[in-house]
Amino acid sequence: QVQLVESGGGSVQAGRSLRLSCEASGSIYSMPTMGWYRQAPGKERELVADIISDNGPRYSDPAKGRFTISKDNAKKTVFLQMNSLKPEDTAVYYCFAKARESWRGDLEIYWGQGTQVTVSS
């Protein structure tokens, strides 16, 4: 099993920054993808950014130019640096990872518990 633990959420004023972290642990043979989704009240969960081995980062349109995703492979940790935050960024942010627990295992998706980000105007 793969566990994902997020940290770094909180409440900030518009224009400020936050940095989210997500550390993976457990039985991990390979983990080619890590990233972040978010879900605002009354809305569907949406991709914010992910980082795929050999392909680099991808960003949703709202995240481009303001958010930066990075990954420390040795620590199995993914980060999301969020700058110039806006009230519309308010959401629960979920870390996810696509990983295999063995060389013959299927590529499964795993989720963190979510961390609240609240941006006030």
Side-chain angles (χ1 to χ4, degrees):
Q1 190 64 285
V2 176
Q3 294 84 40
L4 301 174
V5 178
E6 299 130 333
S7 60
S11 297
V12 296
Q13 289 187 322
R16 303 299 292 269
S17 300
L18 281 174
R19 189 186 194 216
L20 306 182
S21 300
C22 173
E23 182 177 5
S25 62
S27 178
I28 301 172
Y29 173 78
S30 66
M31 190 166 54
T33 304
M34 294 188 79
W36 298 89
Y37 273 73
R38 70 185 183 185
Q39 188 166 20
K43 294 187 177 181
E44 294 187 355
R45 194 174 293 192
E46 62 176 2
L47 178 68
V48 178
D50 63 14
I51 187 163
I52 305 171
S53 299
D54 299 329
N55 288 340
R58 300 186 303 173
Y59 297 94
S60 66
D61 285 342
K64 287 178 183 176
R66 299 186 299 125
F67 295 1
T68 302
I69 189 170
S70 60
K71 185 180 173 188
D72 184 331
N73 289 320
K75 296 183 179 180
K76 298 183 176 65
T77 300
V78 65
F79 305 95
L80 185 67
Q81 177 67 41
M82 304 185 293
N83 298 330
S84 303
L85 283 162
K86 303 175 181 179
E88 51 263 44
D89 294 318
T90 295
V92 178
Y93 285 69
Y94 295 92
C95 173
F96 78 97
K98 295 182 181 179
R100 288 186 175 86
E101 296 186 34
S102 68
W103 72 276
R104 296 181 63 179
D106 293 331
L107 193 63
E108 304 279 358
I109 187 166
Y110 301 90
W111 294 94
Q113 79 283 0
T115 185
Q116 178 71 45
V117 171
T118 302
V119 184
S120 58
S121 57

